[in-house]
Structures are given as structure tokens and as C-alpha cells.
Amino acid sequence: MTVQPHIRIEKVSKVFRTGGSEVAALDDINLDIKAGEFICLLGPSGCGKSTLLNTVAGFSLPTSGVVRVHGETVRVPGPDRGMVFQEYALFPWMTVEKNIAFGLEIQKQGRAQIAGKVDALLEMLKLQDFRGRYPKDLSGGMRQRVAIARVLALDSPIMLMDEPFGALDSLTRRNLQDELLRIWMEYRKTIIFVTHSIEESIYLADRIIVMTYRPGRIKQDVSVTMPHPRDPSSAEFNDLKKELGMLVMEEQSRHNQEEIKAPVAD
Amino acid sequence: MKKNCLAKTFGILHGLLVPIVLLALWQWLSSQAIVNPMILPAPTRVLAKWWEYLMPAQAYDPATSGYLAWMFSGEMIHDAYASMYRVTVGFVVGAILALPLGLIMGANDRVYKLFNPLIQILRPIPPIAFIPLSILWFGLGNPPAIFLIVIGAFFPILMNTIAGVRNVDGIYIRAARSLGASQTTMFLRVILPAATPYILTGMRIGVGTAFIVVIVAEMIAVNNGLGYRILEAREFFWSDKIIAGMFTIGLLGLAIDTGMNRLNNHLLKWHRGIENK
Ligand SMILES: Nc1ncnc2c1ncn2[C@@H]1O[C@H](COP(=O)(O)OP(=O)(O)OP(=O)(O)O)[C@@H](O)[C@H]1O
Ligand SMILES: [Mg+2]
């Protein structure tokens, strides 16, 4: 029986201290995520999207508050929360096949079982012809497919994605967005997806969490009810885009003012 | 196809141009009796000497030895073998000591802080400066020579291994952790491979140093090997043999470097910037 995940972010704050100065990256974040929901975290650069995702992933602990996944407090990273990074983070010394198999080998699954799963994933993500290649010989889109396959192999109920398609050209990006939606619908994963593209968030998400810039708070929680596949040229899509655009613009301009006052490295 | 072949031939000729001109100049200088042949013998004489040095001294006699053994009974072969033996043993011992220490020091900060001060003090001492001490400790013969080579190979491998482990990109560690990797898996399948480019660089420098050290050590502590031979030749004013010996040393160095390069390319197939044919 697979346990249905439920993510609860309770009063989470995160303060970074660097050389005397303090940055309130997250401030009193409260968020409940239902199993199978597709959540987008949206906001300008530096508003704390990655920080929030990392507390769910277990890479960094909140300064106060807790993150619970199905009732259990998150303390360390684990294969129940698969992570897809913007920089792909594939192991360059492993072939495509080996990268996908790595998580399964860690779990000491049988050889035949691993081979079967890897084959299925290669086929699902159209990577069959690249199975023996090293990541350096793949395009950005291909690398991100491998990264997704690597996480899918573990069958984690939760997928955390930090601007996974940020570095891709728009065509490849749309392609992978569609593929991700297909996977999400087929496997009913819970997905937290960080982006600063308004259009991407509307195209993908059930709920869009717009964040404020310093301190990082939840500005608005927007539900998107349009059925998939969504048409970016439709009136509904564009109305929402305008609405979100205003919200993000406000934060962006605060971001710009802060930048002028004290330049920070994001 | 034909054009390609022509271009290739031209390329080779292009590369040979400077050496040929220099050789011709050298030959001309010698033939004009401008320089004393004792100081600078003609290239033809050097080549003849090199051949003599390479080939067996006695005529082939099936009664005393097999053909192969005879073929390899030349003085140069013996010297090259002796030098290579020392380099190999010294390098292997140095690597066996440096690798584990470097891996632990790179991975564990407390071990690093424990050993680092001592290493920082010893590292700047050139291996050559250990010669008096090594003779005092080990006398003459192979032991002091190999001791010096161990020192020569040890530090480059150690320093690069430490740097390799410390410079592993954090993103790989995070990815592996989120995939559930244990400490052992992390070390063996992530940190170690991620550090190999550095480790191999260290080994390459280490072999290079070992090769320098062996020649010097042979001039002092032993009575065979390529380094010994060219110093011995000086005592008899055999300048042709000195140059022939140097030529052999150069060839051997080139062979070692090519071998290391091949190994490098093979082990780092995955690495960015290395093109495979
Ligand atoms: N390790 C750290 N040490 C100090 N400050 C940090 C650290 N990580 C993040 N910050 C700061 O916290 C704030 C939030 O950073 P975060 O990376 O979460 O933003 P983001 O929304 O993901 O931005 P981007 O879209 O550029 O990725 C930023 O102002 C950043 O400077
Ligand atoms: Mg970020």
C-alpha cells in the first residue's frame, strides 16, 4: 500500500546570517498541500522560492517552524521526495542508464528488476537511443529528461522541481512541460515546482503560490481550474496572466529598489 | 581521400622542419671543425653510439642464451630497465601512501587539520634535498633511490587528491543524498569518481617528478641506470654517449607521458573537454 503524501508547512521562517547582516528569506509560511496537487511557487528572484523548496527537500532546516510530510517532520533529504535541479545535477561519470539506475542500486533492488524499470523509463522519456551516452554528450532538454527519469525510478510520491526548465529554449520547454503533465496525471504525483515564469505556472499548476520579496511570505494563493491541456492564447489564460503579472510586478519593483540600496548576490 | 593523405604528409613534414634544420646545422658545425668533437660530436656519431648502446655487445650465440634474451642484453636496455624499475616501485609506493591519506584528508576536516601543518612544512622541500639524509639512512643502492622517488611522487598525488575531494561540486552530493545514498555509496560512487580528474593530474605530475628524481638519484646512489650511465660517460669524456643517453631519457619520458595520457583519456571518457575519436 502506498501512503498518500500530504505536505504541511507550518509557521516556517528562515533567516540567513552572513557576516553580521541578516536576511529574512522566509517569514511565517503556512501552506497545506494535498496529495496529487501540482503547486507552483512563483515570485521574483531572491524571494525565497528555492529556500522554501529546500526545507521541504530536507537540504536546509527552517530557523523556526516545521515541515511535515504525511505527519512526519522533515529533517533530512530522502528518496520519498525526488528532487530535480535546474542544473540537472546528473552524475557526469555515469551513462544515462547508470544515472537512472543509481537510486535503485542504492535500494539494492535486483538486477533484473532494475533493468526492467530502467528500460521502461528510457522508453517513457524517449531516451532509448541515448542510454549509453554520458551527460556531456546530451542537450539540455535530454539531460533534464534523464534527471526526471532518475527521480521517477524511485517511485517517490513527491517531486520537487527547482526551475527545472529555466535553462531550456521555449520549444523544448513546452515539450517537457507537456511530458511532465502527462507523467503527473498518469502517476498522480504531488509536485512542487519553482518558476519565475508566470505563463509556465498557469500552464502547469493547480495552485499558484505567489511569494513576496523580503521577507518571503505568501502574497496570494491562486487556484487554477482550467482543464488540461491549457491554451495560452485563451482569454481566461490571459486574464489570469495579467492578474498574476500585477502581483509579481509589485514584488519585482520592491526587489529592484532593494537591489539599488544594497546589492546582493542571489 | 588523396587530398587528405597529402595534407597529412605535409603536416608531418611541417613538424619535422625545425628538427631537420637544427640537425643539419649541427652536422655542418661539426664537419667544419669549428667546435671540438669532444665538446659536441656530430649527430651521426651520436646516432652510431646510440645504436651501439642499444644493441647487444656480443654476437648471437645460441649455446649461451635464447634469441630474445640476447636481443635485450644491450647496455641501454639494462639501464632503461633499472631506471623504470625504480620509477615504478617508487611511484606505486608513493601512490599507495598518498591516495588513502589524500582521500581521508579531503573528506574529513579534522584529519585534514591534523596532518596539514606537517605536510605544508615538508612539501616545499625538493626531493633532491633529501639525498644526504636518504644515503645516511639507507646507504647506497636501490633503497635510497626508491625512497627519493617515493617522496617525489607522494606530494603531487596527495595534494591533488585532497583538492579533488574538497572541490567535489555540492550539487552531486545533494543529488546523491536525495536519492538516498549512504556514506559509503556517497564516497565510492560520487566523491571518488568526481575527484578522479584531479587525482589523475596528481599522478601525472607524480610520475614526472619520479622520473626527474630517478635520474638524479642514479647519479649519486647507484651504479647502473640511465642517470648513472651519462655521468659515467662524462668521466671518460664520451660526449657522444652522454647525448645518446639523454636522448634515451627523453624517449622514455615521452613514452611515460603518452601512457599516462592514454590512461587519462580512457578513465575520463565522461569528462567534458576530452574528445574521443
Ligand atoms: N546560503 C545562503 N546564505 C545567505 N543568504 C542566502 C542563502 N541562500 C539564500 N539566501 C538569500 O535568501 C534569499 C532567498 O533566496 P532563494 O535562493 O530562496 O531565492 P529564489 O526565490 O530561489 O531566487 P531565484 O529565483 O534567483 O532562484 C535571497 O535574498 C538570498 O540572497
Ligand atoms: Mg532559486
Side-chain angles (χ1 to χ4, degrees), chain B residues 50-199:
Chain B
W50 188 78
W51 188 249
E52 187 192 316
Y53 183 26
L54 173 70
M55 293 313 282
Q58 273 84 40
Y60 175 53
D61 175 9
T64 55
S65 70
Y67 186 72
L68 258 177
W70 173 79
M71 265 303 287
F72 288 105
S73 69
E75 194 181 29
M76 187 204 295
I77 305 283
H78 277 218
D79 284 338
Y81 174 80
S83 298
M84 280 312 289
Y85 169 79
R86 292 176 190 121
V87 168
T88 310
V89 174
F91 175 79
V92 168
V93 172
I96 285 175
L97 294 174
L99 265 178
L101 184 61
L103 290 174
I104 296 171
M105 281 181 70
N108 186 317
D109 225 43
R110 275 162 66 188
V111 179
Y112 180 80
K113 286 191 178 125
L114 194 64
F115 284 96
N116 193 45
L118 177 68
I119 285 164
Q120 292 306 333
I121 291 167
L122 293 179
R123 191 174 62 103
I125 305 174
I128 312 300
F130 281 91
I131 287 176
L133 204 58
S134 67
I135 291 176
L136 207 63
W137 285 356
F138 300 104
L140 293 176
N142 265 342
I146 288 172
F147 171 75
L148 292 170
I149 295 161
V150 169
I151 289 176
F154 178 81
F155 285 104
I157 299 174
L158 180 74
M159 302 319 287
N160 279 277
T161 304
I162 294 172
V165 175
R166 296 196 131 205
N167 285 325
V168 174
D169 194 337
I171 192 103
Y172 301 135
I173 311 265
R174 295 211 293 165
R177 272 178 70 200
S178 92
L179 292 170
S182 65
Q183 293 276 358
T184 323
T185 309
M186 183 72 82
F187 192 78
L188 292 178
R189 299 204 51 196
V190 179
I191 293 175
L192 199 58
T196 17
Y198 279 84
I199 295 174

Side-chain angles (χ1 to χ4, degrees), chain A residues 134, chain B residues 260-270 274 276:
Chain A
Y134 288 96
Chain B
M260 286 303 281
N261 225 345
R262 289 263 166 86
L263 182 72
N264 218 54
N265 287 355
H266 176 72
L267 289 177
L268 297 181
K269 282 199 289 277
W270 52 271
I274 290 180
N276 295 294

Side-chain angles (χ1 to χ4, degrees), chain A residues 49-51 86 162-163 194:
Chain A
K49 305 180 297 288
S50 298
T51 308
Q86 176 171 6
D162 194 349
E163 299 193 37
V194 169

Side-chain angles (χ1 to χ4, degrees), chain A residues 61-90:
Chain A
L61 293 177
T63 313
S64 65
V66 282
V67 176
R68 284 185 225 280
V69 170
H70 204 75
E72 299 238 6
T73 304
V74 169
R75 289 197 180 83
V76 288
D80 59 321
R81 286 151 286 140
M83 184 88 180
V84 179
F85 303 86
Q86 176 171 6
E87 316 88 318
Y88 319 119
L90 297 176

Side-chain angles (χ1 to χ4, degrees), chain B residues 4 8 11 19 26 34 68-69 96 107 112 126 131-132 155 168 176 178 215 218-219 221 228 247 254 267:
Chain B
N4 208 339
K8 217 171 174 178
W26 176 7
I34 297 172
L68 258 177
I96 285 175
Y112 180 80
I131 287 176
F155 285 104
V168 174
S178 92
I215 300 300
E218 283 171 351
M219 290 182 171
Y228 169 79
F247 184 55
L254 182 67
L267 289 177

